[in-house]
Amino acid sequence: PCSVRMDAMLLRLESAVLRLEACIASSGSSRSGTAVVTAPAAPSASPAKPILQPAVHGVTSSSGSGLSEAALPDYQQLLSAHLEPVLAAAANLPPEAQRSVSHLERGFKAQGDLLQHASRSKKPDTSGFQALLGPVATEIMGASGLAEGKRTDAFNFQKVVAEAIQGLAWLAYQPNSGMTAPPQQVAEAWQTAEFYVNKVLMDARSQTGQQAEAPVIWTRALKGLMVALETFVRRHYPDGIKWDFAPSGSSPALASAPPP
């Protein structure tokens, strides 16, 4: 029945957000490895921009700040070598698919911002961690929302993104939390996404020209991105985010909101 399917989809959306925030609640309020927390508030409305407008994704660093010396170049390489090809290939997909990919783009940017902040700050309290996770959770919710409701011709593309972006939930992991280890979370998200990747590729076989080639190029690039993310997390964050003690006067919170 439709009501059962809708309930299942809502549970998946809620699960994506709860996975992101599961480890920031006290162990006494957890339930099956996850804790019920307040979802981040939606960001204030901002002027619309063209779909997949080219953007600079580098994570900057100054003396004594930014990601660790080892992680920073690796993350910059991940963005340039793997995220940018996904965005470029998506330019040839349907507009509805491009909107989903925009959430993935912003999610990876928010991930880099959070890791950069963590490298120069001590671990925040629960409310502070919720605020830091907010931008990533917002993009997960946005991508999941586009894959729900009335189906469009880009439904399978939207489902691929909605499942893959859940790999960013590794950011909430803490040792002894009961959550799946960060690299495995990324891998499992892609494994789920591949079910819809196969549907995208099957549909592409009945097309010709660019409509047949674009989905193949895009799914191949997206797989490369997710494999690279798993490798990056396994190398630098196998036990979750590494927090550092910030020097006196450092910013206590991440300024993630875009300028008006």
Side-chain angles (χ1 to χ4, degrees):
C2 292
S3 61
V4 174
R5 288 188 60 191
M6 180 60 68
D7 287 345
M9 290 194 306
L10 289 174
L11 284 173
R12 286 193 62 80
L13 176 58
E14 181 182 70
S15 175
V17 178
L18 295 182
R19 285 176 62 197
L20 264 172
E21 301 177 329
C23 298
I24 61 179
S26 64
S27 59
S29 62
S30 61
R31 181 174 54 197
S32 301
T34 59
V36 179
V37 295
T38 303
S44 57
S46 57
K49 68 175 184 177
I51 298 174
L52 295 181
Q53 179 178 354
V56 177
H57 297 281
V59 180
T60 59
S61 175
S62 58
S63 59
S65 65
L67 292 170
S68 69
E69 289 187 7
L72 174 56
D74 282 358
Y75 198 73
Q76 290 177 324
Q77 175 67 15
L78 184 151
L79 295 177
S80 61
H82 299 287
L83 178 60
E84 293 299 341
V86 171
L87 304 182
N92 296 316
L93 301 182
E96 295 87 352
Q98 293 185 31
R99 280 190 278 273
S100 290
V101 176
S102 292
H103 285 290
L104 187 72
E105 175 186 10
R106 292 191 293 271
F108 270 79
K109 174 61 168 60
Q111 175 178 236
D113 290 342
L114 175 51
L115 295 178
Q116 183 181 29
H117 175 78
S119 71
R120 62 179 184 232
S121 307
K122 66 180 180 179
K123 187 175 180 180
D125 59 14
T126 297
S127 61
F129 197 18
Q130 284 180 319
L132 292 171
L133 290 170
V136 178
T138 294
E139 301 310 328
I140 290 178
M141 293 174 66
S144 296
L146 291 178
E148 296 175 358
K150 184 177 180 180
R151 291 197 179 197
T152 69
D153 291 339
F155 173 77
N156 287 324
F157 291 100
Q158 293 172 321
K159 288 296 291 184
V160 169
V161 175
E163 297 296 344
I165 198 173
Q166 292 191 43
L168 301 184
W170 77 267
L171 291 163
Y173 177 86
Q174 291 182 6
N176 304 316
S177 65
M179 291 183 70
T180 304
Q184 188 177 345
Q185 286 195 53
V186 178
E188 289 177 355
W190 176 246
Q191 289 170 5
T192 305
E194 282 190 309
F195 175 81
Y196 295 98
V197 167
N198 290 334
K199 290 180 175 290
V200 166
L201 296 178
M202 287 180 62
D203 291 342
R205 294 193 187 105
S206 63
Q207 304 296 323
T208 58
Q210 188 179 78
Q211 288 183 322
E213 296 174 0
V216 176
I217 296 172
W218 178 72
T219 54
R220 186 181 300 138
L222 183 59
K223 180 177 182 178
L225 173 64
M226 296 303 294
V227 170
L229 177 61
E230 180 189 352
T231 300
F232 173 81
V233 172
R234 188 179 301 278
R235 178 177 302 164
H236 298 290
Y237 302 98
D239 298 317
I241 296 177
K242 300 174 183 177
W243 299 92
D244 197 2
F245 286 94
S248 177
S250 62
S251 175
L254 178 66
S256 58

